[in-house]
Amino acid sequence: MAFKPLHDRVLVRRVESEEKTKGGLIIPDSAKEKPSEGEIVACGDGARKDNGELIEMAVKAGDRVLFGKWSGTEITIDGEELLIMKESDILGKTA
């Protein structure tokens, strides 16, 4: 993939959610919501302050992150659906 986000944007691949609940109930596809967890595929270099100083990104490629339900813009690259979003749309990293 030859795509690099600019500035403080990240490219995220959604991680599929579990098909069963902890209690063992199977969730049908029609009842599933799009997952709000993903893996960072690529990152920009970071934002810039008014004086031109670079603010480094807090995430890197390979990190698993949580993001808001309506965050990002869906794009298709090489036939794969991905999200591009600002780093500020990311709520946190998972361990």
Side-chain angles (χ1 to χ4, degrees), residues 18-82:
E18 295 292 322
E19 294 191 14
K20 285 186 179 181
T21 65
K22 290 182 181 182
L25 297 174
I26 297 175
I27 304 169
D29 287 338
S30 60
K32 287 184 187 175
E33 291 186 13
K34 287 187 177 180
S36 59
E37 183 178 356
E39 180 182 346
I40 304 247
V41 176
C43 293
D45 295 326
R48 297 233 176 236
K49 294 182 181 179
D50 290 337
N51 64 4
E53 184 181 339
L54 183 67
I55 302 170
E56 288 190 33
M57 300 284 279
V59 295
K60 62 185 180 309
D63 285 348
R64 288 179 70 109
V65 295
L66 298 174
F67 48 88
K69 188 174 186 176
W70 306 109
S71 297
T73 302
E74 293 182 355
I75 60 172
T76 303
I77 299 176
D78 297 334
E80 183 178 13
E81 288 188 17
L82 302 166

Side-chain angles (χ1 to χ4, degrees), residues 66-68 70-73 84-92:
L66 298 174
F67 48 88
W70 306 109
S71 297
T73 302
I84 189 163
M85 65 181 71
K86 286 189 159 255
E87 182 185 30
S88 59
D89 290 338
I90 296 172
L91 304 175

